[in-house]
Amino acid sequence: MDESKKRKKILTPLEAKGKAENYCAYQERAQQEVRNKLYEWGLHQEEVENIIVLLIEDNFLNEERFAKAYTLGKFRMKGWGKIKIKQHLKAKNISEPLIRLALKEINQEEYHKKIDETVKKKIKKPISSISFIEKSKLYTYLQSKGFENDIIYNKINI
């Protein structure tokens, strides 16, 4: 493949703004995701920050809305616990207060029900009849899904 096909087209700030609006309209995005995309499109720092400001003003970009949507989506669709969701939001440079606000969106009753469903999917028999080793593996699995240690402990009574 020759060099001209490898190079990405560098966008003007106006083209990039339009493309970024479409990118944000498609699904909720974190500011950092949009910032990375703008850099990828060949824009410089000042242009990127100006576009970010315009996207926020036009309500295409909203960190709180993103954090809440991300939290509920990962919880309901992927069955993630609060710890894993929090780690992933931090990786997207979401602030601690917004993370706390987003995690409050998860209904506690629904959260415990999700853990119970996850346990039932993983083991096909009652918890009381599984061995210590099986409980240990279940504990590790639930931790990997991002559920809190004390809640896991109470659910499987190790």
Side-chain angles (χ1 to χ4, degrees), residues 65-113:
R65 195 173 62 209
F66 166 77
K68 287 178 178 181
Y70 185 89
T71 298
L72 289 177
K74 294 301 181 188
F75 169 66
R76 291 189 177 134
M77 304 306 281
K78 298 231 183 216
W80 287 5
K82 291 179 180 180
I83 293 171
K84 190 168 186 172
I85 293 169
K86 183 177 181 176
Q87 288 171 338
H88 281 256
L89 285 171
K90 277 184 177 180
K92 293 182 178 293
N93 291 337
I94 304 298
S95 70
E96 197 64 41
L98 278 182
I99 292 173
R100 280 194 302 274
L101 186 69
L103 290 174
K104 285 181 185 173
E105 293 291 303
I106 299 174
N107 177 302
Q108 278 306 104
E109 192 177 306
E110 197 179 343
Y111 193 68
H112 285 277
K113 196 190 254 184

